[in-house]
């Protein structure tokens, strides 16, 4: 030990390790402090050291991630041992998910007396869940899901008084669910899904005052669901998610479920539940998803369903439900999916379903519905899945529906007509459709031609007017080029007659004021500074044009001085200002490079579900933003003041370019203070509300939020229960569910990048520290990002960037 301590001290003197140490100390604190307030132990205790070696000896480690566990105990606690964290020399956390680990978890783990978190999910572990975990008084999180653990769930876990999360899902566990688990009165999340557990659901779990997530689906559980939910006096029952689907549960739906006033999701599908749905279920006023499909439930839908006003999904497919569909259902204004298929409902389809404007999926197939399909269903603008097949419907199909859906939605109704019948009759139908199409297409083309003619006419009109009338207010058009001046890399063109003036900075574009003003333009967005357009020049090139609000910009002289400064700024990660135009009436246009991939905000948040953004891309964007910001702070001595993911735009290769920097300089001081004070909700550092003055540190805060956005895939403006993104992340990290903050997409290949994610998370949390003095400078942020992922930093496409000197080896 003594020798190793000396080695560590010696090591500490070399620049790299001191830097690393600082990094670990600075950055680990926000995360680790929730685990431990005193973070002084550097050397692991002899006892814990031996336990770790014993644990290691029973694990199979094909990737060699535990090789670091070979060194002396000195490194174990200072970050040297993969996946180990300590406090006071005692191991408090073992966290090695996605490491392809095999073998067994040693029973010796019960001797790590300070252990709080055990996270070995997504490995190939076999053997049993150590029963000795029950000896650990501080254990809070056990995450062993997605392994091949067998044996039973150890009842001893019920003895861990602080246990908050127990996730053993997707293993091979068998035997019953131990009733003793309910003895953990701090348990918030219990997930035993996708195992082979048998026996009944313990009554104790239905009375737990703490459990919010109870997932027991996809097992072999049997017996009835206990009817004792929420039975603990007047303490609020916290259950929000209850999933019991895909078991062999029998009996009926217990009325006491109606007591779970906070329940949002209830899934009982694919069981053997019978009996009627109790009226009490209407008490689930927060319920959003109710899935009772594929059981043997009979009776009718209780009228109290109309009280579940938060319902988004209602699925009772594949039961024996009878009677009429209650007319009251149309009070469920948020209902998006209504599946009553394969039951015995009768009577007419209620026309009030047409009032449920959120419906996108409606399945009424395989029932005994009669009468016509109500034409009110045509009002359902969001409907994209519809099925009334195999009923006794008659009359014509409303034309909207027959156009939108094919025969498979309507078949099996002998007296129903007016939809394209399958097989042999489709030919004629097709021809009919084609005729219609031709008419539509012809009309479309005519319209397009008319529009183009209109445009040409208008443009010509504008040009003429501008030439003729000297002070034609709105058009802002200028005459042909009358004068060109080239000075200090700037090309100036003034439209003599109208007083308009176009000034080029260096750049690839050659266009005249006329070209610019007659370019076709579409609005891209509006901000506090003005409106941004995508303009297509005559030669097909695109530029981004920002029209500044006239009332809030500085006078011409000052404006030109300031804009000249902005026009000289050139950096691969800063959106280049290429030109500006001053109109005769004070109009001010700024011309920038056009970025085809749009803003980072839309790139991240407005993409289709099948487009994923991999980690290296996200990291490259983060590094790009940090480089751009560093250039602003250190080379231009300029604060951005309004850095958001909407102000970061991406080129074809998804390289980040910061936009809107320095624009506050073009504004009158009143206007720029207003913008700065308002900031952008979600990105503005807390102190801004008092100081009202953006600084380098408020920029670093915004950068931190953007990095969190990249990590979590969440937009700071989207609902996270009224918390902003930093608060949300902090709350999750505090609950020791750190992995849950990350975007699910990133979790897929986390085996290789787990540490990069965690280290980036720590860095981001450091950036959004509420106290400005605790935040790092952007240079440090950049350096650390580059250290986390050096390959990205070295990637080509960044030539011309001055990269910080690489850390000393
Ligand atoms: C780790 O140490 C053990 C014995 O202490 C040795 O058998 C093993 O080869 C070492 N593994 C590596 C990868 O150094
Ligand atoms: C759980 O608590 C009950 C009653 O408090 C007790 O009888 C039982 O032994 C406890 N189970 C465990 C495993 O501690
Ligand atoms: C439980 O685990 C399964 C499988 O790992 C997962 O899909 C599900 O989301 C988890 N549920 C909860 C409430 O944690
Ligand atoms: C569930 O139990 C039945 C009968 O005991 C057995 O046949 C079936 O394989 C079990 N299913 C699973 C997933 O363990
Ligand atoms: C019910 O709540 C009241 C006040 O909120 C409290 O005084 C009382 O002890 C509670 N009763 C039980 C059984 O929890
Ligand atoms: C449904 O709500 C109404 C009034 O909002 C109430 O009178 C009725 O008791 C509720 N039904 C159930 C089953 O909760
Ligand atoms: C319906 O959905 C909207 C938007 O998600 C939400 O604001 C509203 O509270 C929901 N209504 C109910 C009754 O839950
Ligand atoms: C619901 O629809 C019916 C008939 O389709 C109509 O009379 C009624 O006014 C609608 N109610 C609401 C709240 O839109
Ligand atoms: C449905 O139609 C079939 C054949 O026309 C008829 O035998 C049956 O009684 C009808 N069912 C209902 C519920 O009307
Ligand atoms: C009818 O539409 C469904 C989906 O809406 C599709 O799966 C099916 O292939 C279509 N059938 C025919 C015959 O086009
Ligand atoms: C409609 O339901 C029937 C019967 O369940 C099924 O065969 C058919 O494929 C469904 N059609 C669509 C478009 O979902
Ligand atoms: C479709 O063709 C089959 C023979 O191929 C014939 O028996 C049937 O009557 C035809 N149906 C219609 C609706 O024309």
């Amino acid at each position: 030990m003594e020798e190793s301590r000396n080695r560590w001290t010696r090591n500490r003197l070399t620049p790299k390790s001191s830097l690393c140490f600082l990094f670990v100390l600075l950055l680990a604190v926000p995360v680790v402090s929730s685990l431990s307030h005193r973070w002084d132990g550097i050397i692991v205790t002899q006892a814990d050291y031996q336990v770790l070696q014993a644990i290691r000896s029973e694990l199979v480690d094909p990737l060699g991630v535990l090789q670091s566990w070979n060194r002396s105990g000195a490194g174990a606690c200072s970050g040297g041992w993969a996946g180990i964290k300590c406090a006071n020399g005692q191991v408090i956390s073992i966290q090695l998910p996605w490491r392809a680990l095999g073998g067994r978890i040693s029973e010796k783990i019960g001797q790590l007396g300070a252990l709080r978190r055990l996270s070995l999910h997504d490995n190939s572990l076999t053997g049993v869940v150590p029963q000795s975990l029950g000896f650990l008084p501080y254990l809070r999180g056990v995450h062993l899901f997605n392994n091949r653990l067998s044996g039973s769930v150890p009842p001893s876990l019920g003895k861990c008084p602080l246990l908050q999360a127990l996730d053993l899902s997707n293993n091979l566990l068998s035997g019953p669910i131990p009733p003793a688990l309910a003895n953990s009165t701090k348990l918030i999340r219990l997930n035993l899904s996708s195992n082979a557990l048998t026996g009944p659901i313990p009554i104790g779990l239905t009375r737990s005052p703490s459990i919010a997530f109870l997932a027991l689906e996809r097992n072999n559980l049997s017996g009835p669901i206990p009817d004792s939910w929420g039975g603990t006096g007047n303490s609020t029952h916290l259950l929000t998610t209850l999933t019991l689907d895909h078991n062999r549960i029998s009996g009926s739906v217990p009325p006491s479920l109606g007591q779970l006033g906070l329940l949002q999701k209830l899934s009982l599908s694919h069981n053997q539940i019978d009996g009627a749905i109790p009226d009490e279920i209407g008490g689930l006023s927060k319920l959003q998803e109710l899935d009772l499909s594929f059981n043997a439930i009979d009776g009718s839908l209780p009228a109290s369903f109309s009280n579940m006003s938060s319902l988004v999904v209602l699925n009772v497919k594949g039961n024996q439900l009878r009677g009429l569909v209650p007319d009251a259902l149309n009070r469920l204004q948020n209902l998006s999916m209504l599946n009553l298929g394969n039951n015995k409902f009768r009577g007419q389809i209620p026309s009030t379903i047409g009032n449920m404007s959120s419906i996108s999926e409606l399945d009424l197939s395989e029932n005994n519905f009669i009468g016509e399909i109500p034409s009110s269903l045509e009002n359902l603008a969001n409907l994209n899945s519809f099925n009334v097949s195999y009923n006794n419907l008659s009359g014509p199909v409303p034309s909207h529906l027959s156009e939108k859906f094919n025969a498979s939605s309507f078949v099996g109704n002998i007296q129903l007509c007016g939809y394209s019948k399958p097989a042999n009759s489709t030919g004629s139908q097709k021809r009919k459709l084609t005729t219609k199409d031709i008419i539509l297409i012809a009309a479309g083309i005519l319209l397009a031609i008319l529009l183009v003619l209109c445009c040409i006419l208008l443009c010509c009109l504008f040009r003429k007017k501008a030439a003729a009338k000297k002070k034609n207010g709105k058009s802002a058009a200028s005459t042909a080029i009358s004068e060109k001046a080239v000075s200090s890399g700037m090309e100036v063109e003034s439209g003599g007659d109208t007083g308009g003036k176009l000034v080029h900075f260096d750049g690839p574009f050659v266009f005249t004021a006329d070209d610019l003003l007659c370019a076709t333009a579409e609005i891209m967005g509006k901000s506090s500074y003005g409106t941004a357009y995508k303009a297509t020049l005559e030669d097909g090139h695109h530029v981004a044009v920002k029209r500044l609000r006239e009332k809030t910009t500085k006078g011409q002289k000052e404006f030109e001085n300031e804009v000249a400064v902005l026009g000289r700024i050139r950096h691969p990660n800063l959106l280049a200002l290429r030109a500006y135009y001053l109109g005769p009436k004070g109009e001010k246009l700024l011309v920038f490079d056009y970025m085809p991939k749009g803003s980072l905000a839309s790139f991240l948040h407005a993409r289709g579900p099948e487009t994923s953004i991999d980690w290296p891309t996200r990291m490259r964007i983060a590094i790009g933003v940090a480089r751009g910001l560093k250039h602003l702070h250190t080379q231009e001595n300029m604060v951005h003041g309004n850095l958001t993911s909407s102000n970061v735009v991406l080129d074809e290769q998804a390289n980040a370019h910061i936009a809107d920097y320095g624009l506050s300089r073009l504004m009158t001081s009143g206007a720029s203070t207003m913008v700065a004070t308002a900031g952008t909700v979600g990105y503005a550092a807390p102190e801004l509300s008092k100081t009202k003055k953006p600084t380098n540190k408020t920029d670093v805060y915004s950068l931190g939020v953007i990095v969190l956005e990249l990590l979590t895939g969440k937009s700071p403006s989207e609902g996270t229960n009224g918390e902003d993104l930093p608060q949300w992340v902090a709350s999750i990290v505090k609950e020791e569910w750190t992995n849950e903050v990350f975007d699910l997409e990133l979790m897929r290949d986390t085996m290789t990048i787990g540490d990069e994610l965690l280290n980036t998370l720590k860095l981001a949390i450091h950036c959004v520290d509420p106290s400005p003095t605790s935040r790092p400078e952007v240079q440090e942020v950049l350096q650390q990002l580059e250290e986390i992922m050096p390959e990205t930093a070295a990637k080509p496409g960044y030539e011309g960037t001055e990269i910080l000197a690489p850390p000393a080896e």
Side-chain angles (χ1 to χ4, degrees):
M1 259 324 151
E2 198 52 42
E3 192 204 89
S4 49
R5 197 187 312 235
N6 284 337
R7 194 161 63 218
W8 176 76
T9 328
R10 255 203 324 276
N11 271 350
R12 199 166 64 132
L13 297 176
T14 73
K16 163 126 189 198
S17 57
S18 73
L19 211 129
C20 277
F21 176 71
L22 197 72
F23 168 63
V24 166
L25 202 68
L26 277 176
L27 300 180
V29 163
V31 172
V32 171
S33 64
S34 67
L35 307 172
S36 148
H37 294 287
R38 283 174 304 158
W39 202 77
D40 43 4
I42 298 297
I43 295 173
V44 70
T45 62
Q46 191 63 26
D48 279 9
Y49 172 78
Q50 276 168 6
V51 174
L52 287 178
Q53 287 299 355
I55 291 175
R56 186 189 174 203
S57 70
E58 291 193 39
L59 292 174
V60 176
D61 176 24
L63 301 181
V65 291
L66 301 181
Q67 271 174 22
S68 56
W69 289 27
N70 244 16
R71 295 182 215 136
S72 69
C77 286
S78 54
W81 282 27
I84 299 299
K85 283 191 190 124
C86 312
N88 298 326
Q90 288 189 289
V91 175
I92 57 169
S93 157
I94 301 180
Q95 198 174 358
L96 290 162
W98 294 285
R99 299 298 198 282
L101 294 173
R104 310 162 56 91
I105 308 171
S106 168
E107 283 287 349
K108 292 238 168 63
I109 200 165
Q111 295 171 24
L112 293 176
L115 194 67
R116 294 167 176 222
R117 180 187 174 94
L118 175 64
S119 174
L120 297 172
H121 62 86
D122 294 273
N123 283 295
S124 306
L125 298 170
T126 55
V128 301
V129 178
Q131 176 233 284
S132 62
L133 287 175
F135 300 139
L136 299 174
Y138 301 108
L139 195 62
R140 288 161 195 227
V142 176
H143 307 268
L144 299 175
F145 51 96
N146 297 345
N147 277 293
R148 278 182 242 136
L149 299 166
S150 53
S152 55
V153 178
S156 59
L157 282 167
K159 290 188 198 148
C160 299
L162 299 180
L163 193 62
Q164 292 177 353
L166 175 60
D167 192 335
L168 306 177
S169 61
N170 203 11
N171 278 289
L172 306 168
L173 300 172
S174 54
I177 299 173
L181 283 186
N183 285 18
S184 293
T185 51
K186 294 281 193 302
L187 197 59
I188 296 169
R189 179 181 297 245
L190 176 60
N191 195 340
L192 303 176
S193 63
S194 298
N195 280 289
L197 301 173
T198 52
I201 299 163
I203 290 178
L205 291 181
T206 69
R207 298 197 171 122
S208 161
S210 60
I211 294 185
F213 304 91
L214 181 55
L216 305 176
E217 74 268 18
R218 293 177 192 272
N219 277 291
N220 229 344
L221 301 173
S222 54
I225 302 171
D227 190 12
S228 48
W229 296 92
T232 45
N234 53 5
S235 73
T236 327
H237 208 283
L238 299 177
L239 204 60
T240 60
T241 299
L242 176 60
T243 46
L244 304 173
D245 51 281
H246 295 84
N247 279 292
R248 292 188 295 136
I249 293 168
S250 53
S252 53
V253 178
S256 63
L257 279 176
Q259 309 265 316
L260 301 175
L262 299 179
L263 200 63
Q264 292 175 11
K265 176 175 175 179
L266 175 60
S267 177
L268 307 178
S269 74
H270 292 91
N271 278 296
Q272 297 155 15
I273 296 170
D274 52 21
I277 303 173
D279 212 34
E280 287 83 350
I281 202 117
L284 300 176
S285 59
K286 293 272 175 11
L287 198 65
Q288 293 174 9
E289 194 177 331
L290 176 60
D291 189 350
L292 303 175
S293 60
F294 300 102
N295 279 290
I297 298 170
D298 53 25
S300 54
L301 285 187
S304 69
F305 262 48
S306 62
N307 281 14
M308 295 192 283
S309 52
S310 307
L311 266 192
V312 177
V313 171
L314 173 55
N315 187 353
V316 295
K317 191 184 178 90
N319 281 289
Q320 315 281 331
L321 289 161
R322 285 189 304 266
L324 305 175
V325 175
D327 222 30
L329 276 189
N330 71 335
R331 286 177 55 193
L332 308 182
Q333 282 300 316
N334 279 3
L335 200 64
S336 158
M337 193 252 233
L338 176 60
N339 193 336
L340 306 178
N342 199 357
N343 278 287
K344 293 175 178 164
F345 290 109
R346 62 184 169 80
Q348 306 229 350
I349 299 175
S351 65
T352 51
I353 289 185
N355 292 3
M356 300 161 79
S357 53
S358 306
I359 292 254
S360 64
E361 238 183 295
L362 180 61
D363 188 345
L364 306 174
S365 65
E366 300 184 89
N367 280 289
N368 298 324
F369 288 114
I370 56 168
E372 298 195 356
I373 300 176
S375 57
S376 67
L377 297 192
E378 292 190 318
N379 302 340
L380 300 174
N382 299 321
L383 197 64
N384 54 39
S385 168
F386 180 69
N387 203 341
V388 291
S389 59
Y390 303 103
N391 280 289
N392 267 12
L393 297 167
S394 55
V397 173
S399 58
H400 250 68
L401 298 176
S402 64
E403 279 161 21
K404 204 160 167 187
F405 303 101
N406 66 28
S408 133
S409 299
F410 304 104
V411 292
N413 293 285
I414 296 172
Q415 298 175 61
L416 197 63
C417 57
Y419 63 96
S420 50
K421 295 249 163 48
N424 28 17
S425 62
T426 48
S428 67
Q429 286 287 336
K430 254 208 179 118
R431 223 178 356 261
K432 212 153 124 201
L433 268 179
T434 322
T435 326
K436 208 171 183 181
D437 281 353
I438 288 172
I439 294 174
L440 277 175
I441 290 169
I445 290 174
L446 211 72
L447 207 73
I449 292 174
L450 274 174
L451 269 174
V452 169
L453 277 176
C454 270
C455 281
I456 292 173
L457 259 167
L458 273 176
C459 201
C460 287
L461 219 69
F462 265 145
R463 286 183 191 224
K464 270 201 185 137
K465 261 192 189 165
K469 291 191 180 180
K470 293 192 177 175
K471 41 192 169 37
N472 185 341
K474 263 272 161 244
S475 86
S478 82
T479 57
I481 313 162
S482 60
E483 188 187 338
K484 262 190 188 176
V486 181
S487 66
S488 63
M490 256 191 226
E491 198 178 332
V492 180
E493 172 206 320
S494 26
D497 273 338
T498 56
K501 175 179 176 187
L502 177 71
V503 179
H504 279 278
F505 302 105
D506 72 324
F509 300 109
V510 193
F511 53 82
T512 65
D514 253 0
D515 291 342
L516 183 62
L517 297 170
C518 253
T520 54
E522 52 182 283
I523 295 189
M524 293 194 295
K526 291 189 178 173
S527 73
S528 25
Y529 297 116
T531 309
Y533 302 84
K534 170 189 175 181
T536 309
L537 299 173
E538 215 79 318
D539 61 359
H541 279 105
H542 302 303
V543 288
V545 178
K546 187 156 258 181
R547 182 180 181 140
L548 299 176
R549 279 181 223 286
E550 279 141 47
K551 293 208 183 80
T552 55
T553 46
K554 284 181 174 158
Q556 174 162 350
K557 189 88 193 146
E558 263 181 291
F559 178 89
E560 290 203 78
N561 288 341
E562 295 287 5
V563 80
V565 173
L566 296 184
R568 274 197 294 271
I569 298 179
R570 289 291 177 264
H571 183 276
N573 297 112
L574 293 175
L575 188 68
L577 174 61
R578 298 299 182 185
Y580 68 89
Y581 173 82
L582 292 177
K585 283 275 208 163
E587 307 92 314
K588 297 186 177 71
L589 305 183
L590 302 180
V591 182
F592 297 91
D593 287 344
Y594 171 70
M595 295 288 130
K597 281 210 154 72
S599 75
L600 174 59
S602 59
F603 183 67
L604 263 182
H605 308 306
R607 64 201 147 107
E610 66 290 334
T611 359
S612 73
I613 304 172
D614 63 11
W615 174 237
T617 304
R618 294 181 197 225
M619 195 65 181
R620 212 149 39 79
I621 291 172
I623 289 178
V625 178
R627 283 184 179 153
L629 193 61
K630 185 202 143 214
H631 183 88
L632 272 189
H633 285 184
T634 60
Q635 304 299 307
E636 308 295 343
N637 200 15
M638 192 180 277
V639 171
H640 187 293
N642 193 17
L643 186 62
T644 68
S645 64
S646 310
N647 280 338
V648 171
V649 287
L650 304 175
D651 62 17
E652 198 59 70
Q653 289 78 39
N655 294 313
H657 302 247
I658 299 177
D660 271 10
Y661 56 87
L663 293 194
S664 59
R665 294 166 161 242
L666 307 178
M667 303 286 138
T668 57
S669 58
S672 67
T673 315
M674 212 183 64
V675 170
T677 319
T680 298
V681 179
Y683 296 90
E687 73 267 20
L688 265 179
S689 61
K690 282 206 205 93
T691 65
K692 311 215 184 301
K693 191 176 179 328
T695 61
N696 285 0
K697 289 302 174 88
T698 61
D699 276 354
V700 167
Y701 182 95
S702 308
L703 174 63
V705 176
I706 290 177
V707 177
L708 287 178
E709 221 176 329
L710 286 163
L711 282 170
T712 62
K714 280 191 190 303
S715 159
S717 56
E718 88 188 5
T720 34
N721 287 337
E723 294 170 307
D724 65 17
L725 193 52
Q727 284 167 343
W728 179 77
V729 167
S731 71
I732 302 272
V733 168
K734 197 167 157 218
E735 295 293 354
E736 303 181 20
W737 299 337
T738 306
N739 283 326
E740 302 192 11
V741 306
F742 298 124
D743 195 332
L744 285 178
E745 269 173 23
L746 295 176
M747 300 307 277
R748 288 185 208 126
D749 41 21
T750 310
M751 197 177 99
T752 44
I753 60 171
D755 285 334
E756 293 173 6
L757 288 180
L758 271 178
N759 288 336
T760 312
L761 177 65
K762 288 174 192 168
L763 178 56
I765 290 176
H766 195 27
C767 292
V768 298
D769 195 301
S771 150
T773 48
S774 310
R775 289 175 212 146
E777 296 288 347
V778 66
Q779 301 91 295
E780 294 169 54
V781 179
L782 176 58
Q783 184 175 352
Q784 282 159 12
L785 283 171
E786 285 172 343
E787 276 177 15
I788 292 172
M789 202 175 174
E791 318 85 62
T792 301
K795 237 190 182 142
Y798 282 91
E799 65 274 12
T801 324
E802 0 71 68
I803 300 171
L804 265 186
E809 263 308 322

